[in-house]
Amino acid sequence: MKPEISIVMPTYNVEKYFRQCIESVINQTLTKIEIIPVDDGSPDNCGAIMDEYAAKDPRIKPIHQENGGYGKAVNAGIAAATGEYIGIVETDDWCEPDMYEKLYIQAKKFDADVCKCGFFKYNSYAAAGLQNVAWKSDLQNIENYPVDRSFNISEFPSLFIMHASIWATIYKKDFLTGHNIKVNATRSASYQDFPFMTEVLCKAGKIAVVPNYLYHWRVEYNQNSSTNQCGKRLLIMPEQCKEVKRIIKENNLYNILKEEMYLHFLYANYAFFYNIKREYRHEYFNKFRDLFLETDSDKSFTGKYFNSSQKVFVKKLLAGNYFSLTWKSIRRSIIQFRWNRHERLIKIAGKVLYQHAASSD
């Protein structure tokens, strides 16, 4: 019997979380599912663990391959999938038990190409009451969209402001294959979810939503996650945004989505710009500025979603005012350096005084 949903699980070095994740998929209330964990040459025991579960549950069909990166792992799972719809679960996260049942019912109701739900941001190290928080704001809220019909991105362009969240979504298999939509499989690439979801939203004739929060996105300091990076790898984000702009233009949606697109660019790059190591920050600044240069000559672009501080930031960005945007960060670094130096001097002085006192005794 054809599965209603094939759930692709790209897996690499997440042994600590893998059992919780795969069990949350196995125990879905929607039982006609196919589970495809993809062992992307994981150096830990993830491959053996998925084989262990597969021996007990015929719905689990592991794939083992040499390490090729996130995109290659997802694409391998999609290619092997036989279900009507496809879901993607990142294996340090987990799902609510009824997630796929709710998504599937809503997708079938409107014959949707894609169906999205809300999600929680989970951090077990956060303060009490803030560990598992629904991801929403005035401009990023799954509850803002109709549930009594499907729609396309031209009708509700604000959906493009939302986090890509490719894992809080199901996709009709025929839609993905018919449009040849794949995740960028370049081995060294990161943040491939943004171009992937852009292509999905641009080409989907029917988008449906479930206004419930059903997926738990784990973001913790001890993960090998993009949110914890500070090195040169972050420079890939503006490159992925550049690819997003290309996709939108190719689908003749630039004038419809540009306001939302540029806000998403600001969301996606702002923190990375300040988090990246100082030796790479000027290069990031130039790439960030290049993303927005087109707005400088576009009289129809208003920045309607930007608040006052965001408008000031973009104005300085376009003016090439790198020093003004980074002065506070530089000042903090100088203060921290001075404090660290003083701490070292205090420790040295204390050690000398202790040794002097000991010798005097």
Side-chain angles (χ1 to χ4, degrees):
M1 186 178 295
K2 184 176 181 178
E4 291 169 332
I5 300 181
S6 296
I7 302 168
V8 176
M9 304 177 65
T11 306
Y12 183 82
N13 206 24
V14 288
E15 182 178 352
K16 180 179 179 180
Y17 310 111
F18 186 69
R19 288 186 185 274
Q20 179 189 21
C21 179
I22 196 168
E23 287 178 11
S24 77
V25 174
I26 290 169
N27 294 320
Q28 288 291 302
T29 55
L30 185 73
T31 58
K32 293 180 182 177
I33 58 175
E34 176 182 54
I35 303 169
I36 307 176
V38 182
D39 169 21
D40 189 41
S42 188
D44 57 11
N45 291 318
C46 284
I49 294 170
M50 62 180 68
D51 288 342
E52 172 195 326
Y53 280 100
K56 303 172 185 175
D57 190 332
R59 301 175 302 169
I60 303 174
K61 301 171 183 177
I63 295 174
H64 300 278
Q65 63 183 33
E66 292 183 4
N67 179 252
Y70 178 83
K72 185 178 178 182
V74 174
N75 293 339
I78 291 174
T82 63
E84 183 183 1
Y85 283 85
I86 290 173
I88 300 168
V89 173
E90 297 189 356
T91 42
D92 47 2
D93 303 334
W94 78 96
C95 313
E96 286 293 303
D98 56 351
M99 171 174 159
Y100 285 107
E101 181 177 15
K102 286 183 174 176
L103 285 170
Y104 183 73
I105 289 173
Q106 188 76 337
K108 287 294 288 181
K109 185 176 181 179
F110 304 112
D111 190 30
D113 298 313
V114 56
C115 186
K116 294 183 70 66
C117 66
F119 62 93
F120 296 97
K121 180 179 178 181
Y122 178 78
N123 180 0
S124 65
Y125 297 93
L130 298 174
Q131 294 180 338
N132 199 45
V133 180
W135 181 276
K136 65 177 178 178
S137 65
D138 289 343
L139 293 175
Q140 296 190 78
N141 192 338
I142 198 70
E143 300 166 44
N144 289 342
Y145 302 96
V147 296
D148 58 346
R149 67 181 182 91
S150 64
F151 55 91
N152 61 47
I153 196 64
S154 297
E155 294 177 87
F156 289 92
S158 61
L159 185 66
F160 195 78
I161 299 171
M162 295 279 289
H163 188 290
S165 57
I166 68 173
W167 20 258
T169 311
I170 60 171
Y171 316 85
K172 188 181 286 187
K173 170 78 185 278
D174 290 345
F175 164 73
L176 292 181
T177 56
H179 290 281
N180 195 30
I181 299 175
K182 297 180 180 179
V183 180
N184 183 338
T186 304
R187 184 177 181 134
S188 61
S190 301
Y191 324 116
Q192 304 102 310
D193 54 348
F194 192 14
F196 176 81
M197 184 55 75
T198 298
E199 195 160 11
V200 166
L201 294 178
C202 285
K203 292 181 176 176
K206 295 180 179 181
I207 301 167
V209 301
V210 172
N212 303 106
Y213 297 83
L214 302 171
Y215 188 95
H216 300 265
W217 174 44
R218 188 188 302 271
V219 182
E220 298 182 344
Y221 78 90
N222 61 339
Q223 289 175 278
N224 183 27
S225 167
S226 64
T227 56
N228 300 320
Q229 299 293 325
C230 64
K232 192 173 183 179
R233 189 177 183 184
L234 291 182
L235 290 167
I236 298 173
M237 174 55 87
E239 293 296 327
Q240 296 288 24
C241 291
K242 186 177 178 181
E243 174 64 6
V244 163
K245 186 186 290 191
R246 184 198 66 78
I247 293 168
I248 287 174
K249 288 185 173 182
E250 187 180 76
N251 285 276
N252 299 313
L253 289 168
Y254 179 77
N255 286 327
I256 293 172
L257 294 178
K258 61 186 175 183
E259 299 283 353
E260 294 76 16
M261 179 190 75
Y262 283 115
L263 182 64
H264 198 138
F265 285 177
L266 195 59
Y267 283 162
N269 289 279
Y270 184 87
F272 285 178
F273 171 60
Y274 285 110
N275 287 345
I276 199 166
K277 290 181 179 178
R278 196 164 50 187
E279 59 260 41
Y280 306 121
R281 191 169 295 147
H282 199 273
E283 184 178 356
Y284 202 118
F285 174 84
N286 289 331
K287 290 176 179 290
F288 202 171
R289 182 171 180 266
D290 285 345
L291 284 175
F292 281 82
L293 274 178
E294 199 166 350
T295 66
D296 213 16
S297 58
D298 185 350
K299 303 303 180 185
S300 65
F301 177 76
T302 65
K304 69 178 183 179
Y305 295 107
F306 293 173
N307 61 36
S308 57
S309 62
Q310 289 168 337
K311 287 180 179 178
V312 170
F313 179 91
V314 172
K315 185 177 181 179
K316 290 180 178 180
L317 187 70
L318 291 171
N321 202 336
Y322 174 76
F323 183 77
S324 176
L325 290 178
T326 57
W327 164 240
K328 288 183 180 179
S329 177
I330 293 170
R331 184 171 176 269
R332 282 196 301 269
S333 297
I334 292 171
I335 291 170
Q336 186 63 48
F337 171 76
R338 287 177 174 172
W339 173 247
N340 290 342
R341 186 177 63 181
H342 290 159
E343 275 194 314
R344 287 196 297 271
L345 290 172
I346 290 167
K347 287 178 181 177
I348 291 169
K351 187 176 181 180
V352 170
L353 289 171
Y354 174 79
Q355 289 174 343
H356 176 72
S359 62
S360 297
D361 291 343

